[in-house]
Amino acid sequence: MVSLRFPFSFSRPPIRNPNPNPKSKASRSFSPAIAAAAAAAFGVGMSLAVSRKLSSNQPDPSGQKPWRSEAPLWASFSLTAAETSVEPRTGVAFPTVLDGSRRLLGIGLRKKNLFGLKSIDVYAFGVYADEGDVKKLSEKYGSISASELKDNKEFFADILDQDLRVTVRLQMVYGRLSIQSVRNAFEESVGSRLQKFSGSKNEELLKRFTSLFKDEQKLPRGSTIDLSREEGHTLRTKIDGKEVGSIQSKLLCRSVLDLYIGEDSFDKAARENVVRGLASLVQS
Ligand SMILES: CCCCCCCCCCCC(=O)O
């Protein structure tokens, strides 16, 4: 079993690999400049191990599935560790902690069919939750074991509905995205969730959200979109770290989060990790 605890802080910044090659292990985890340093080499080993633990589809040579371990992912990191975890199919790296208190619980991949023909990797994503906020659910769920909690529908409904700070970071893999295609994709996916939760597409709300993605905005490979539920059910959107708008709507927050952690999420294995991590946080 992989066990990672960092008694010290790494200073290695989050990696944005400009040319990820899923076939090359080295390209997944570090830059050549750092490779010479023994400490960085240690960090590389950590990243690879963590990426396996987070991964949904990477076979473990031992034949075991470490990501099925009862140990939660977040328990592997200290809040001060500037470490990253790598989505193994794309080489995209995610910081294990965001905004000081949001822990990375799972990483996944969004694929999409292009012209109904070929499936492309559009972006990798990381799901983060504020540790303190999730622990507020301990009073209600603390007496239920983590393994029972992960199948508890009420617990999950609370995660989607309660005022808990959660961030989903999307990091673009496909390099030729037009902003119109991004608006269209959000319109389709978020629109379907608005319909599911409210019985209507809520055109006006949907438009307010999609119009945050302006024509002049560029989203080359490596760009990030952070979708965060902030206090008061406010969806804050950042592109490459810069806020582009905030919309206060419980329905919109729930609809966006459902794409990544709902029952019909884009990457089922990523969702499993997130749910397991949340359940363990409540228990800790
Ligand atoms: C060519 C495909 C274009 C798809 C662009 C998707 C970019 C962000 C959309 C986020 C929501 C979603 O994944 O549906």
Side-chain angles (χ1 to χ4, degrees):
M1 192 180 106
V2 178
S3 171
L4 303 171
R5 285 192 179 271
F6 304 124
F8 51 90
S9 175
F10 286 99
S11 58
R12 189 158 65 88
I15 299 163
R16 182 178 290 176
N17 187 344
N19 186 24
N21 172 7
K23 292 194 175 61
S24 155
K25 278 198 170 187
S27 72
R28 291 190 210 139
S29 52
F30 63 105
S31 73
I34 305 172
F42 177 66
V44 167
M46 291 295 190
S47 281
L48 287 171
V50 172
S51 75
R52 172 168 297 137
K53 194 171 166 115
L54 287 165
S55 156
S56 60
N57 70 349
Q58 180 157 315
D60 177 15
S62 71
Q64 292 174 335
K65 291 180 175 171
W67 57 92
R68 294 233 173 265
S69 137
E70 285 304 303
L73 287 170
W74 59 265
S76 305
F77 312 112
S78 91
L79 281 177
T80 52
E83 188 48 75
T84 57
S85 292
V86 178
E87 199 295 311
R89 291 162 286 185
T90 56
V92 171
F94 291 89
T96 55
V97 179
L98 214 55
D99 294 341
S101 60
R102 291 180 205 205
R103 288 192 183 268
L104 181 62
L105 299 175
I107 50 184
L109 179 61
R110 167 70 158 134
K111 289 170 162 285
K112 208 167 159 52
N113 274 332
L114 205 52
F115 314 120
L117 291 171
K118 100 179 207 214
S119 170
I120 54 163
D121 296 347
V122 185
Y123 58 83
F125 62 88
V127 179
Y128 298 78
D130 184 275
E131 189 180 356
D133 287 359
V134 175
K135 282 184 176 165
K136 286 184 199 152
L137 294 176
S138 298
E139 210 174 295
K140 185 168 174 187
Y141 297 104
S143 59
I144 306 176
S145 73
S147 56
E148 279 177 287
L149 257 192
K150 67 181 171 53
D151 300 317
N152 183 314
K153 287 202 184 308
E154 192 179 341
F155 171 64
F156 210 71
D158 275 342
I159 296 291
L160 280 180
D161 276 347
Q162 298 292 314
D163 204 4
L164 315 171
R165 283 167 291 173
V166 175
T167 295
V168 183
R169 167 165 290 184
L170 323 184
Q171 188 163 158
M172 299 306 141
V173 173
Y174 188 68
R176 279 172 282 157
L177 286 180
S178 70
I179 205 75
Q180 183 60 46
S181 67
V182 172
R183 279 196 296 262
N184 292 346
F186 273 121
E187 200 172 310
E188 189 186 326
S189 54
V190 177
S192 74
R193 286 346 194 247
L194 290 170
Q195 178 81 43
K196 169 178 156 187
F197 292 127
S198 71
S200 141
K201 239 187 165 187
N202 284 272
E203 302 285 357
E204 199 259 339
L205 179 61
L206 187 55
K207 182 98 184 137
R208 268 176 75 201
F209 174 62
T210 57
S211 61
L212 298 177
F213 300 88
K214 308 269 186 251
D215 284 339
E216 58 274 20
Q217 183 72 55
K218 298 279 176 273
L219 279 175
R221 181 186 185 127
S223 312
T224 58
I225 299 177
D226 286 352
L227 303 165
S228 299
R229 177 170 62 193
E230 298 296 342
E231 220 180 314
H233 299 278
T234 298
L235 185 78
R236 185 189 66 195
T237 304
K238 284 184 179 177
I239 300 180
D240 286 334
K242 195 166 160 253
E243 180 165 341
V244 294
S246 285
I247 299 172
Q248 204 267 323
S249 163
K250 189 171 178 176
L251 175 62
L252 181 62
C253 290
R254 186 182 190 194
S255 299
V256 168
L257 296 181
D258 190 70
L259 298 173
Y260 303 95
I261 57 178
E263 277 179 17
D264 195 20
S265 60
F266 291 142
D267 185 325
K268 303 284 182 290
R271 177 188 190 264
E272 259 194 49
N273 277 328
V274 172
V275 175
R276 191 173 301 115
L278 287 167
S280 302
L281 269 181
V282 167
Q283 295 297 316
S284 64

